[in-house]
């Protein structure tokens, strides 16, 4: 029915609908306005090195070849084609000699994922272009698995926002963009999928809408590349403009628009644990992305989080199923730990250099409470009375938020210095960002500025009545 209307009328209708829907998610205060990066750099005292080089692990490539490395991933609403696009990228790159094709079914591996036809767990895929090597994270789009999306996005240096042309922007499109920005991703590329299902006029309107939305969330809505295509056509080997050429154009834009990140290789290594499993006869393996530093075989390390600190040693390191002597910041790795049982490992724990991190359940942070127009709360919060779930990197935990001294309440749309009290001791270094969610909705975001002495938490988990002056 929409296709039968005049183009100018379609634009007016969609513009009015867009204004009505997106007015709720416009950001008046950006994260950088209340927690400037310059302040974080001063506090964390990070000495940044020139961009690292990465040895590709693809079997068909020469071991001596060295390319830049970048972590990227797909974000967007459920059923908009994120997993199909991931599969299409590997299929096109296989034709060009840069990757091994990984089918849709091999990306969504679990039984539940196949039965429901959705991505539940973030999947990691490795591939290369002529300019860079990529570790690609396919994030789930379903609102029930936003925890897994946060975990996947926290490992990204850049992102591909996937939007179906027959749907346009949807609730998870908005929330994923918000979370991706909060997690520190500065640049992304947009892929308008299923372009073969709509007219060109509709594609133009969707591009206008997404550029406005990107600007609302602090991205560059003007310069951000927008590629139009169809992942399904590319998977079928179609060579029309919406088929394989659109995938190659997308990869070209990613290579040129998303910069190769600068890594901190001097600091002691830190790796949030995203997954763990057991290899019979060998031991337990933890999987994650190194945030900083360099890790070597036989290094002594600490496994920390959820109130525990366990000492162990690195037995083996693998990058995309290939054993290597060491790994650097930015690498997605599997690490075999010595004398550690699987039941001792929890997702969200941190693997770090021996005696390099502190375990605490008390932190000071800069915190911003989203307004109702931004999708947050409509009511203010008060000290002690506000206890919700805190998400950071690959973990989440119950947290109490206390406002700074002399402040009785924090209104939606305002920011303040707060003190965080976690149910269990976690590793939360200065400069690390976090998100607060309430009733499956993102309501706040913040950044740690200081580590405070721990307090004793009753076995009952009562965060309301604890004495914050305890040592």
């Amino acid at each position: 029915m929409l296709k039968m209307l005049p183009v100018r009328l379609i634009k007016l209708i969609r513009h009015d609908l867009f204004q009505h829907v997106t007015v709720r998610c416009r950001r008046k205060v950006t994260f950088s306005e209340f927690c400037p990066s310059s302040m974080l750099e001063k506090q964390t005292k990070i000495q940044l090195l020139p961009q690292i080089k990465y040895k590709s692990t693809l079997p068909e490539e020469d071991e001596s070849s060295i390319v830049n490395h970048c972590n990227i991933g797909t974000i967007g609403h459920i059923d908009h084609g994120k997993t199909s696009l991931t599969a299409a990228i590997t299929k096109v790159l296989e034709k060009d000699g840069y990757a091994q094709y990984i089918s849709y079914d091999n990306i969504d591996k679990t039984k539940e994922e196949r039965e429901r036809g959705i991505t539940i767990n973030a999947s990691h895929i490795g591939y290369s272009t002529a300019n860079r090597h990529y570790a690609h994270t396919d994030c789930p789009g379903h609102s029930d698995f936003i925890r897994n999306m946060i975990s996947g996005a926290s490992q990204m240096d850049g992102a591909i926002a996937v939007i179906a042309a027959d749907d346009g922007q949807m609730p998870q499109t908005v929330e994923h963009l918000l979370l991706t920005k909060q997690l520190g991703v500065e640049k992304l590329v947009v892929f308008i999928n299923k372009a073969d299902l709509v007219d060109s006029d509709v594609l133009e309107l969707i591009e206008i809408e997404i550029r406005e939305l990107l600007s609302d969330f602090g991205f560059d809505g003007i310069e951000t590349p927008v590629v139009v295509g169809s992942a399904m056509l590319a998977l079928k080997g179609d060579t029309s403009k919406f088929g394989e050429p659109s995938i190659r154009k997308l990869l070209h834009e990613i290579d040129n628009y998303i910069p190769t990140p600068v890594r901190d290789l001097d600091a002691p290594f830190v790796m949030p644990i995203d997954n763990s499993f057991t290899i019979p006869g060998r031991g337990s393996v933890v999987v994650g992305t190194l945030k900083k530093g360099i890790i070597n075989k036989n290094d002594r390390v600490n496994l920390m989080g959820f109130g525990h600190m366990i000492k162990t040693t690195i037995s083996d390191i693998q990058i995309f199923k290939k054993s290597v002597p060491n790994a650097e910041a930015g690498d997605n790795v599997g690490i075999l730990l010595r004398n550690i049982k699987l039941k001792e490992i929890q997702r969200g724990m941190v693997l770090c250099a021996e005696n390099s991190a502190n375990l605490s359940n008390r932190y000071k942070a800069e915190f911003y409470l989203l307004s109702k127009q931004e999708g947050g709360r409509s009511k203010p919060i008060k000290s002690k009375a506000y206890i919700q779930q805190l998400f950071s990197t690959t973990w989440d935990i119950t947290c109490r938020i206390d406002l700074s001294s002399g402040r009785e309440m924090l209104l939606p749309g305002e920011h303040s210095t707060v003190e965080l009290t976690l149910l269990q001791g976690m590793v939360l270094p200065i400069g690390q960002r976090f998100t607060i969610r309430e009733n499956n909705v993102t309501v706040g975001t913040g950044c740690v500025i200081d580590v405070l002495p721990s307090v004793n938490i009753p076995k009952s988990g009562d965060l309301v009545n604890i004495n914050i002056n305890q040592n």
Side-chain angles (χ1 to χ4, degrees), residues 56-61 86-102 125-130 132-134 251:
S56 175
T57 59
L58 294 175
E60 63 269 19
E61 292 186 342
T86 302
I89 287 173
T90 62
K91 186 163 188 177
V92 171
L93 286 175
E94 184 182 52
K95 288 187 175 182
D96 297 340
Y98 291 111
Q100 291 180 340
Y101 170 53
I102 301 177
I125 308 297
Y127 56 78
S128 290
T129 64
R132 271 201 298 224
H133 179 275
Y134 290 94
L251 293 168

PDB file of all heavy atoms in Angstrom, residues 56-61 86-102 125-130 132-134 251:
ATOM      1  N   SER A  56      48.134 -13.266  11.164  1.00  0.00           N
ATOM      2  CA  SER A  56      46.903 -13.930  10.770  1.00  0.00           C
ATOM      3  C   SER A  56      46.994 -15.421  11.030  1.00  0.00           C
ATOM      4  O   SER A  56      48.029 -16.044  10.851  1.00  0.00           O
ATOM      5  CB  SER A  56      46.619 -13.684   9.280  1.00  0.00           C
ATOM      6  OG  SER A  56      45.490 -14.416   8.894  1.00  0.00           O
ATOM      7  N   THR A  57      45.875 -16.027  11.472  1.00  0.00           N
ATOM      8  CA  THR A  57      45.859 -17.452  11.770  1.00  0.00           C
ATOM      9  C   THR A  57      45.140 -18.261  10.697  1.00  0.00           C
ATOM     10  O   THR A  57      44.901 -19.440  10.877  1.00  0.00           O
ATOM     11  CB  THR A  57      45.149 -17.685  13.114  1.00  0.00           C
ATOM     12  OG1 THR A  57      43.831 -17.171  13.033  1.00  0.00           O
ATOM     13  CG2 THR A  57      45.891 -16.986  14.244  1.00  0.00           C
ATOM     14  N   LEU A  58      44.767 -17.640   9.586  1.00  0.00           N
ATOM     15  CA  LEU A  58      44.101 -18.382   8.523  1.00  0.00           C
ATOM     16  C   LEU A  58      45.080 -19.356   7.885  1.00  0.00           C
ATOM     17  O   LEU A  58      46.195 -19.000   7.526  1.00  0.00           O
ATOM     18  CB  LEU A  58      43.561 -17.417   7.462  1.00  0.00           C
ATOM     19  CG  LEU A  58      42.441 -16.501   7.969  1.00  0.00           C
ATOM     20  CD1 LEU A  58      42.061 -15.520   6.898  1.00  0.00           C
ATOM     21  CD2 LEU A  58      41.253 -17.307   8.419  1.00  0.00           C
ATOM     22  N   PRO A  59      44.687 -20.633   7.733  1.00  0.00           N
ATOM     23  CA  PRO A  59      45.638 -21.647   7.282  1.00  0.00           C
ATOM     24  C   PRO A  59      46.175 -21.421   5.892  1.00  0.00           C
ATOM     25  O   PRO A  59      47.279 -21.823   5.581  1.00  0.00           O
ATOM     26  CB  PRO A  59      44.808 -22.938   7.348  1.00  0.00           C
ATOM     27  CG  PRO A  59      43.382 -22.495   7.313  1.00  0.00           C
ATOM     28  CD  PRO A  59      43.361 -21.183   7.988  1.00  0.00           C
ATOM     29  N   GLU A  60      45.398 -20.759   5.011  1.00  0.00           N
ATOM     30  CA  GLU A  60      45.858 -20.608   3.638  1.00  0.00           C
ATOM     31  C   GLU A  60      46.843 -19.459   3.472  1.00  0.00           C
ATOM     32  O   GLU A  60      47.362 -19.235   2.402  1.00  0.00           O
ATOM     33  CB  GLU A  60      44.655 -20.406   2.697  1.00  0.00           C
ATOM     34  CG  GLU A  60      43.854 -19.132   2.956  1.00  0.00           C
ATOM     35  CD  GLU A  60      42.732 -19.391   3.924  1.00  0.00           C
ATOM     36  OE1 GLU A  60      42.794 -20.397   4.637  1.00  0.00           O
ATOM     37  OE2 GLU A  60      41.782 -18.602   3.948  1.00  0.00           O
ATOM     38  N   GLU A  61      47.071 -18.673   4.551  1.00  0.00           N
ATOM     39  CA  GLU A  61      47.963 -17.534   4.433  1.00  0.00           C
ATOM     40  C   GLU A  61      49.364 -17.876   4.915  1.00  0.00           C
ATOM     41  O   GLU A  61      49.566 -18.778   5.731  1.00  0.00           O
ATOM     42  CB  GLU A  61      47.414 -16.354   5.243  1.00  0.00           C
ATOM     43  CG  GLU A  61      46.152 -15.784   4.676  1.00  0.00           C
ATOM     44  CD  GLU A  61      45.734 -14.535   5.428  1.00  0.00           C
ATOM     45  OE1 GLU A  61      46.215 -14.330   6.545  1.00  0.00           O
ATOM     46  OE2 GLU A  61      44.935 -13.778   4.869  1.00  0.00           O
ATOM     47  N   THR A  86      26.936 -12.007   8.641  1.00  0.00           N
ATOM     48  CA  THR A  86      28.213 -12.585   9.067  1.00  0.00           C
ATOM     49  C   THR A  86      28.597 -13.749   8.163  1.00  0.00           C
ATOM     50  O   THR A  86      29.746 -13.867   7.721  1.00  0.00           O
ATOM     51  CB  THR A  86      28.127 -13.051  10.529  1.00  0.00           C
ATOM     52  OG1 THR A  86      27.763 -11.951  11.364  1.00  0.00           O
ATOM     53  CG2 THR A  86      29.456 -13.623  11.002  1.00  0.00           C
ATOM     54  N   ALA A  87      27.633 -14.624   7.880  1.00  0.00           N
ATOM     55  CA  ALA A  87      27.897 -15.761   6.983  1.00  0.00           C
ATOM     56  C   ALA A  87      28.227 -15.281   5.576  1.00  0.00           C
ATOM     57  O   ALA A  87      29.126 -15.820   4.915  1.00  0.00           O
ATOM     58  CB  ALA A  87      26.683 -16.687   6.960  1.00  0.00           C
ATOM     59  N   ALA A  88      27.504 -14.253   5.100  1.00  0.00           N
ATOM     60  CA  ALA A  88      27.747 -13.730   3.749  1.00  0.00           C
ATOM     61  C   ALA A  88      29.148 -13.133   3.634  1.00  0.00           C
ATOM     62  O   ALA A  88      29.811 -13.284   2.599  1.00  0.00           O
ATOM     63  CB  ALA A  88      26.688 -12.680   3.406  1.00  0.00           C
ATOM     64  N   ILE A  89      29.615 -12.462   4.685  1.00  0.00           N
ATOM     65  CA  ILE A  89      30.964 -11.884   4.665  1.00  0.00           C
ATOM     66  C   ILE A  89      32.006 -12.979   4.484  1.00  0.00           C
ATOM     67  O   ILE A  89      32.920 -12.863   3.655  1.00  0.00           O
ATOM     68  CB  ILE A  89      31.224 -11.084   5.964  1.00  0.00           C
ATOM     69  CG1 ILE A  89      30.421  -9.785   5.938  1.00  0.00           C
ATOM     70  CG2 ILE A  89      32.708 -10.774   6.121  1.00  0.00           C
ATOM     71  CD1 ILE A  89      30.471  -9.011   7.244  1.00  0.00           C
ATOM     72  N   THR A  90      31.869 -14.068   5.241  1.00  0.00           N
ATOM     73  CA  THR A  90      32.861 -15.155   5.119  1.00  0.00           C
ATOM     74  C   THR A  90      32.774 -15.843   3.764  1.00  0.00           C
ATOM     75  O   THR A  90      33.796 -16.273   3.220  1.00  0.00           O
ATOM     76  CB  THR A  90      32.664 -16.193   6.240  1.00  0.00           C
ATOM     77  OG1 THR A  90      31.363 -16.791   6.142  1.00  0.00           O
ATOM     78  CG2 THR A  90      32.822 -15.553   7.603  1.00  0.00           C
ATOM     79  N   LYS A  91      31.559 -15.929   3.193  1.00  0.00           N
ATOM     80  CA  LYS A  91      31.427 -16.592   1.887  1.00  0.00           C
ATOM     81  C   LYS A  91      32.070 -15.771   0.780  1.00  0.00           C
ATOM     82  O   LYS A  91      32.764 -16.308  -0.090  1.00  0.00           O
ATOM     83  CB  LYS A  91      29.958 -16.842   1.578  1.00  0.00           C
ATOM     84  CG  LYS A  91      29.757 -17.652   0.296  1.00  0.00           C
ATOM     85  CD  LYS A  91      28.383 -18.257   0.199  1.00  0.00           C
ATOM     86  CE  LYS A  91      28.293 -19.213  -0.982  1.00  0.00           C
ATOM     87  NZ  LYS A  91      26.966 -19.862  -1.053  1.00  0.00           N
ATOM     88  N   VAL A  92      31.837 -14.452   0.801  1.00  0.00           N
ATOM     89  CA  VAL A  92      32.434 -13.586  -0.214  1.00  0.00           C
ATOM     90  C   VAL A  92      33.950 -13.544  -0.057  1.00  0.00           C
ATOM     91  O   VAL A  92      34.696 -13.596  -1.044  1.00  0.00           O
ATOM     92  CB  VAL A  92      31.828 -12.170  -0.123  1.00  0.00           C
ATOM     93  CG1 VAL A  92      32.590 -11.197  -1.021  1.00  0.00           C
ATOM     94  CG2 VAL A  92      30.352 -12.194  -0.519  1.00  0.00           C
ATOM     95  N   LEU A  93      34.416 -13.461   1.176  1.00  0.00           N
ATOM     96  CA  LEU A  93      35.867 -13.418   1.409  1.00  0.00           C
ATOM     97  C   LEU A  93      36.539 -14.734   1.046  1.00  0.00           C
ATOM     98  O   LEU A  93      37.714 -14.754   0.676  1.00  0.00           O
ATOM     99  CB  LEU A  93      36.150 -13.064   2.871  1.00  0.00           C
ATOM    100  CG  LEU A  93      35.922 -11.599   3.257  1.00  0.00           C
ATOM    101  CD1 LEU A  93      36.109 -11.408   4.753  1.00  0.00           C
ATOM    102  CD2 LEU A  93      36.873 -10.682   2.489  1.00  0.00           C
ATOM    103  N   GLU A  94      35.808 -15.852   1.160  1.00  0.00           N
ATOM    104  CA  GLU A  94      36.375 -17.132   0.747  1.00  0.00           C
ATOM    105  C   GLU A  94      36.657 -17.125  -0.759  1.00  0.00           C
ATOM    106  O   GLU A  94      37.691 -17.635  -1.219  1.00  0.00           O
ATOM    107  CB  GLU A  94      35.430 -18.280   1.097  1.00  0.00           C
ATOM    108  CG  GLU A  94      36.014 -19.665   0.780  1.00  0.00           C
ATOM    109  CD  GLU A  94      35.044 -20.783   1.100  1.00  0.00           C
ATOM    110  OE1 GLU A  94      33.887 -20.712   0.621  1.00  0.00           O
ATOM    111  OE2 GLU A  94      35.438 -21.716   1.811  1.00  0.00           O
ATOM    112  N   LYS A  95      35.733 -16.527  -1.535  1.00  0.00           N
ATOM    113  CA  LYS A  95      35.953 -16.412  -2.979  1.00  0.00           C
ATOM    114  C   LYS A  95      37.189 -15.573  -3.294  1.00  0.00           C
ATOM    115  O   LYS A  95      37.879 -15.802  -4.284  1.00  0.00           O
ATOM    116  CB  LYS A  95      34.726 -15.805  -3.662  1.00  0.00           C
ATOM    117  CG  LYS A  95      33.531 -16.742  -3.740  1.00  0.00           C
ATOM    118  CD  LYS A  95      32.430 -16.123  -4.590  1.00  0.00           C
ATOM    119  CE  LYS A  95      31.276 -17.088  -4.778  1.00  0.00           C
ATOM    120  NZ  LYS A  95      30.216 -16.523  -5.647  1.00  0.00           N
ATOM    121  N   ASP A  96      37.437 -14.570  -2.419  1.00  0.00           N
ATOM    122  CA  ASP A  96      38.585 -13.687  -2.638  1.00  0.00           C
ATOM    123  C   ASP A  96      39.864 -14.226  -2.004  1.00  0.00           C
ATOM    124  O   ASP A  96      40.921 -13.586  -2.100  1.00  0.00           O
ATOM    125  CB  ASP A  96      38.281 -12.299  -2.061  1.00  0.00           C
ATOM    126  CG  ASP A  96      37.098 -11.633  -2.764  1.00  0.00           C
ATOM    127  OD1 ASP A  96      36.773 -12.055  -3.890  1.00  0.00           O
ATOM    128  OD2 ASP A  96      36.498 -10.707  -2.177  1.00  0.00           O
ATOM    129  N   GLY A  97      39.767 -15.393  -1.332  1.00  0.00           N
ATOM    130  CA  GLY A  97      40.953 -16.027  -0.761  1.00  0.00           C
ATOM    131  C   GLY A  97      41.389 -15.495   0.587  1.00  0.00           C
ATOM    132  O   GLY A  97      42.541 -15.671   0.985  1.00  0.00           O
ATOM    133  N   TYR A  98      40.451 -14.876   1.360  1.00  0.00           N
ATOM    134  CA  TYR A  98      40.824 -14.272   2.638  1.00  0.00           C
ATOM    135  C   TYR A  98      40.164 -14.935   3.847  1.00  0.00           C
ATOM    136  O   TYR A  98      40.428 -14.528   4.979  1.00  0.00           O
ATOM    137  CB  TYR A  98      40.455 -12.790   2.651  1.00  0.00           C
ATOM    138  CG  TYR A  98      41.292 -11.952   1.710  1.00  0.00           C
ATOM    139  CD1 TYR A  98      40.731 -11.388   0.573  1.00  0.00           C
ATOM    140  CD2 TYR A  98      42.639 -11.716   1.968  1.00  0.00           C
ATOM    141  CE1 TYR A  98      41.487 -10.611  -0.292  1.00  0.00           C
ATOM    142  CE2 TYR A  98      43.404 -10.946   1.113  1.00  0.00           C
ATOM    143  CZ  TYR A  98      42.825 -10.396  -0.012  1.00  0.00           C
ATOM    144  OH  TYR A  98      43.584  -9.630  -0.857  1.00  0.00           O
ATOM    145  N   ALA A  99      39.294 -15.924   3.648  1.00  0.00           N
ATOM    146  CA  ALA A  99      38.585 -16.511   4.796  1.00  0.00           C
ATOM    147  C   ALA A  99      38.093 -17.903   4.440  1.00  0.00           C
ATOM    148  O   ALA A  99      38.175 -18.341   3.282  1.00  0.00           O
ATOM    149  CB  ALA A  99      37.415 -15.620   5.200  1.00  0.00           C
ATOM    150  N   GLN A 100      37.600 -18.588   5.445  1.00  0.00           N
ATOM    151  CA  GLN A 100      36.902 -19.851   5.247  1.00  0.00           C
ATOM    152  C   GLN A 100      35.420 -19.616   5.500  1.00  0.00           C
ATOM    153  O   GLN A 100      35.051 -19.006   6.509  1.00  0.00           O
ATOM    154  CB  GLN A 100      37.437 -20.923   6.208  1.00  0.00           C
ATOM    155  CG  GLN A 100      38.862 -21.375   5.897  1.00  0.00           C
ATOM    156  CD  GLN A 100      39.357 -22.424   6.870  1.00  0.00           C
ATOM    157  OE1 GLN A 100      38.821 -22.566   7.959  1.00  0.00           O
ATOM    158  NE2 GLN A 100      40.402 -23.148   6.486  1.00  0.00           N
ATOM    159  N   TYR A 101      34.585 -20.080   4.592  1.00  0.00           N
ATOM    160  CA  TYR A 101      33.139 -19.859   4.703  1.00  0.00           C
ATOM    161  C   TYR A 101      32.575 -20.559   5.941  1.00  0.00           C
ATOM    162  O   TYR A 101      32.842 -21.734   6.187  1.00  0.00           O
ATOM    163  CB  TYR A 101      32.439 -20.370   3.445  1.00  0.00           C
ATOM    164  CG  TYR A 101      30.932 -20.409   3.551  1.00  0.00           C
ATOM    165  CD1 TYR A 101      30.212 -19.280   3.930  1.00  0.00           C
ATOM    166  CD2 TYR A 101      30.224 -21.581   3.266  1.00  0.00           C
ATOM    167  CE1 TYR A 101      28.826 -19.311   4.023  1.00  0.00           C
ATOM    168  CE2 TYR A 101      28.842 -21.625   3.341  1.00  0.00           C
ATOM    169  CZ  TYR A 101      28.155 -20.479   3.737  1.00  0.00           C
ATOM    170  OH  TYR A 101      26.794 -20.516   3.832  1.00  0.00           O
ATOM    171  N   ILE A 102      31.804 -19.825   6.723  1.00  0.00           N
ATOM    172  CA  ILE A 102      31.124 -20.375   7.893  1.00  0.00           C
ATOM    173  C   ILE A 102      29.631 -20.147   7.693  1.00  0.00           C
ATOM    174  O   ILE A 102      29.172 -19.006   7.594  1.00  0.00           O
ATOM    175  CB  ILE A 102      31.600 -19.700   9.194  1.00  0.00           C
ATOM    176  CG1 ILE A 102      33.104 -19.901   9.357  1.00  0.00           C
ATOM    177  CG2 ILE A 102      30.857 -20.266  10.399  1.00  0.00           C
ATOM    178  CD1 ILE A 102      33.687 -19.216  10.559  1.00  0.00           C
ATOM    179  N   ILE A 125      33.966 -14.979  14.981  1.00  0.00           N
ATOM    180  CA  ILE A 125      34.397 -15.475  13.678  1.00  0.00           C
ATOM    181  C   ILE A 125      35.664 -14.725  13.267  1.00  0.00           C
ATOM    182  O   ILE A 125      35.747 -13.502  13.442  1.00  0.00           O
ATOM    183  CB  ILE A 125      33.300 -15.246  12.600  1.00  0.00           C
ATOM    184  CG1 ILE A 125      31.950 -15.800  13.082  1.00  0.00           C
ATOM    185  CG2 ILE A 125      33.719 -15.863  11.274  1.00  0.00           C
ATOM    186  CD1 ILE A 125      31.924 -17.282  13.306  1.00  0.00           C
ATOM    187  N   GLY A 126      36.628 -15.434  12.705  1.00  0.00           N
ATOM    188  CA  GLY A 126      37.851 -14.786  12.232  1.00  0.00           C
ATOM    189  C   GLY A 126      37.904 -14.731  10.719  1.00  0.00           C
ATOM    190  O   GLY A 126      37.579 -15.704  10.039  1.00  0.00           O
ATOM    191  N   TYR A 127      38.286 -13.586  10.168  1.00  0.00           N
ATOM    192  CA  TYR A 127      38.486 -13.455   8.730  1.00  0.00           C
ATOM    193  C   TYR A 127      39.405 -12.277   8.457  1.00  0.00           C
ATOM    194  O   TYR A 127      39.714 -11.483   9.358  1.00  0.00           O
ATOM    195  CB  TYR A 127      37.154 -13.301   7.974  1.00  0.00           C
ATOM    196  CG  TYR A 127      36.283 -12.149   8.419  1.00  0.00           C
ATOM    197  CD1 TYR A 127      36.557 -10.825   8.032  1.00  0.00           C
ATOM    198  CD2 TYR A 127      35.151 -12.373   9.204  1.00  0.00           C
ATOM    199  CE1 TYR A 127      35.748  -9.777   8.423  1.00  0.00           C
ATOM    200  CE2 TYR A 127      34.338 -11.324   9.600  1.00  0.00           C
ATOM    201  CZ  TYR A 127      34.634 -10.035   9.212  1.00  0.00           C
ATOM    202  OH  TYR A 127      33.827  -8.995   9.607  1.00  0.00           O
ATOM    203  N   SER A 128      39.843 -12.161   7.208  1.00  0.00           N
ATOM    204  CA  SER A 128      40.751 -11.074   6.823  1.00  0.00           C
ATOM    205  C   SER A 128      40.270 -10.404   5.545  1.00  0.00           C
ATOM    206  O   SER A 128      39.535 -11.001   4.743  1.00  0.00           O
ATOM    207  CB  SER A 128      42.168 -11.603   6.586  1.00  0.00           C
ATOM    208  OG  SER A 128      42.774 -12.006   7.786  1.00  0.00           O
ATOM    209  N   THR A 129      40.686  -9.145   5.376  1.00  0.00           N
ATOM    210  CA  THR A 129      40.584  -8.457   4.095  1.00  0.00           C
ATOM    211  C   THR A 129      42.012  -8.213   3.622  1.00  0.00           C
ATOM    212  O   THR A 129      42.971  -8.670   4.252  1.00  0.00           O
ATOM    213  CB  THR A 129      39.839  -7.116   4.245  1.00  0.00           C
ATOM    214  OG1 THR A 129      40.609  -6.245   5.097  1.00  0.00           O
ATOM    215  CG2 THR A 129      38.459  -7.320   4.856  1.00  0.00           C
ATOM    216  N   ALA A 130      42.172  -7.482   2.545  1.00  0.00           N
ATOM    217  CA  ALA A 130      43.523  -7.191   2.058  1.00  0.00           C
ATOM    218  C   ALA A 130      44.278  -6.279   3.016  1.00  0.00           C
ATOM    219  O   ALA A 130      45.506  -6.227   3.002  1.00  0.00           O
ATOM    220  CB  ALA A 130      43.452  -6.543   0.676  1.00  0.00           C
ATOM    221  N   ARG A 132      43.337  -5.794   6.678  1.00  0.00           N
ATOM    222  CA  ARG A 132      43.286  -6.070   8.106  1.00  0.00           C
ATOM    223  C   ARG A 132      42.801  -7.473   8.403  1.00  0.00           C
ATOM    224  O   ARG A 132      42.144  -8.107   7.574  1.00  0.00           O
ATOM    225  CB  ARG A 132      42.342  -5.073   8.816  1.00  0.00           C
ATOM    226  CG  ARG A 132      43.002  -3.819   9.281  1.00  0.00           C
ATOM    227  CD  ARG A 132      42.218  -3.121  10.374  1.00  0.00           C
ATOM    228  NE  ARG A 132      40.899  -2.693   9.990  1.00  0.00           N
ATOM    229  CZ  ARG A 132      40.379  -1.496  10.291  1.00  0.00           C
ATOM    230  NH1 ARG A 132      41.093  -0.618  10.955  1.00  0.00           N
ATOM    231  NH2 ARG A 132      39.159  -1.175   9.931  1.00  0.00           N
ATOM    232  N   HIS A 133      43.107  -7.930   9.622  1.00  0.00           N
ATOM    233  CA  HIS A 133      42.490  -9.146  10.149  1.00  0.00           C
ATOM    234  C   HIS A 133      41.400  -8.730  11.120  1.00  0.00           C
ATOM    235  O   HIS A 133      41.545  -7.750  11.854  1.00  0.00           O
ATOM    236  CB  HIS A 133      43.518 -10.017  10.875  1.00  0.00           C
ATOM    237  CG  HIS A 133      42.913 -11.269  11.449  1.00  0.00           C
ATOM    238  ND1 HIS A 133      42.309 -11.289  12.682  1.00  0.00           N
ATOM    239  CD2 HIS A 133      42.795 -12.521  10.940  1.00  0.00           C
ATOM    240  CE1 HIS A 133      41.855 -12.510  12.913  1.00  0.00           C
ATOM    241  NE2 HIS A 133      42.130 -13.272  11.878  1.00  0.00           N
ATOM    242  N   TYR A 134      40.277  -9.469  11.123  1.00  0.00           N
ATOM    243  CA  TYR A 134      39.145  -9.135  11.980  1.00  0.00           C
ATOM    244  C   TYR A 134      38.748 -10.310  12.860  1.00  0.00           C
ATOM    245  O   TYR A 134      38.752 -11.467  12.416  1.00  0.00           O
ATOM    246  CB  TYR A 134      37.928  -8.733  11.138  1.00  0.00           C
ATOM    247  CG  TYR A 134      38.080  -7.411  10.432  1.00  0.00           C
ATOM    248  CD1 TYR A 134      38.545  -7.352   9.120  1.00  0.00           C
ATOM    249  CD2 TYR A 134      37.770  -6.214  11.066  1.00  0.00           C
ATOM    250  CE1 TYR A 134      38.697  -6.146   8.461  1.00  0.00           C
ATOM    251  CE2 TYR A 134      37.916  -4.997  10.424  1.00  0.00           C
ATOM    252  CZ  TYR A 134      38.374  -4.972   9.121  1.00  0.00           C
ATOM    253  OH  TYR A 134      38.519  -3.762   8.468  1.00  0.00           O
ATOM    254  N   LEU A 251      32.834  -4.149   3.330  1.00  0.00           N
ATOM    255  CA  LEU A 251      34.172  -4.427   3.855  1.00  0.00           C
ATOM    256  C   LEU A 251      35.144  -3.291   3.528  1.00  0.00           C
ATOM    257  O   LEU A 251      36.005  -2.956   4.342  1.00  0.00           O
ATOM    258  CB  LEU A 251      34.685  -5.750   3.293  1.00  0.00           C
ATOM    259  CG  LEU A 251      33.928  -6.997   3.776  1.00  0.00           C
ATOM    260  CD1 LEU A 251      34.305  -8.216   2.940  1.00  0.00           C
ATOM    261  CD2 LEU A 251      34.214  -7.256   5.250  1.00  0.00           C
TER     262      LEU A 251
END
